[in-house]
Amino acid sequence: PLAGPQAPPAQPFSSSSSPSSSSSSSSSSSSSSSSSPPRRSRGGGDPLQSFLALPGLVAAGKASNRDAYALTAALAEKLKSEMAIIPATAVLNVSMAAAKLRCKDNALNDVIATHLLRGLKAYPHYALCNIVNALARLGYHNRNLMETVARFLVDEDHVDKLEVVDIACLVFAYGELRHGGRSAGELFERCAQRR
């Protein structure tokens, strides 16, 4: 599992709020549809809430990891079109859900990376480190993202504010992706000198 404090989830989809579980549904249709995974219907539905609910549904045996791919295009579009209003915690939750689901969708990962790069200073340290870690677990290597994060943490003197678990997330991410580079080297040299 990903390390670090958990951000509060962005109110994930729950089966009690879905139309299929309303009291006006017949018991036969309610029982058959209540165990199906959330999907974006033609009429709407929130791909963000549905995607965030998937890890719990997979754990409960009510969905499979493959169901995530049915939502990624709509989710990437939502994150892209609402980039200015999507909070950092939602991006963190999406990246962690994608890692748990092993959902390797580069279009979605590109949007997550773009959101992180545009709002880097607004991200709490644990979120920044966990997103980089989640993307690394998915095998997503965006060199610009990795260098920018390392440079930001060193240049803005954030290294001293990192928790040990944040450093562990970064060590895993940079190691998993075999990402070297001057900024990464400086980051880990500063981390080593810190304690």
Side-chain angles (χ1 to χ4, degrees):
L2 297 176
Q6 297 294 316
Q11 298 180 352
F13 171 89
S14 78
S15 60
S16 62
S17 65
S18 72
S20 66
S21 62
S22 67
S23 59
S24 63
S25 300
S26 70
S27 62
S28 64
S29 67
S30 175
S31 64
S32 65
S33 62
S34 66
S35 65
S36 62
R39 302 224 175 179
R40 181 176 167 87
S41 64
R42 280 188 199 161
D46 186 358
L48 175 60
Q49 303 306 323
S50 297
F51 191 81
L52 293 177
L54 275 175
L57 292 171
V58 168
K62 296 182 177 180
S64 80
N65 293 8
R66 292 184 302 266
D67 292 317
Y69 291 100
L71 296 168
T72 55
L75 177 57
E77 185 56 38
K78 177 181 178 77
L79 292 176
K80 191 174 184 179
S81 67
E82 298 178 14
M83 193 166 291
I85 61 172
I86 297 286
T89 54
V91 178
L92 169 63
N93 290 335
V94 167
S95 67
M96 292 178 72
K100 286 177 186 174
L101 295 166
R102 296 181 201 93
C103 181
K104 298 180 179 186
D105 184 281
N106 281 337
L108 178 60
N109 293 337
D110 286 342
V111 174
I112 291 169
T114 299
H115 196 286
L116 184 58
L117 286 167
R118 286 187 179 175
L120 195 61
K121 291 183 178 186
Y123 277 83
H125 294 118
Y126 75 90
L128 178 84
C129 297
N130 273 299
I131 291 171
V132 169
N133 183 283
L135 292 172
R137 288 178 183 276
L138 294 169
Y140 178 79
H141 192 182
N142 181 318
R143 292 185 189 286
N144 182 40
L145 174 68
M146 301 301 283
E147 281 299 304
T148 301
V149 166
R151 198 169 38 254
F152 169 73
L153 290 171
V154 170
D155 291 348
E156 298 291 325
D157 204 29
H158 291 283
V159 173
D160 292 333
K161 298 172 189 160
L162 293 174
E163 298 291 330
V164 173
V165 71
D166 298 335
I167 295 170
C169 284
L170 293 171
V171 168
F172 173 85
Y174 284 84
E176 179 72 12
L177 297 173
R178 293 180 173 82
H179 184 89
R182 183 174 163 214
S183 296
E186 288 178 36
L187 172 62
F188 293 116
E189 185 176 322
R190 291 276 310 275
C191 288
Q193 292 171 353
R194 192 183 103 164
R195 293 191 181 181

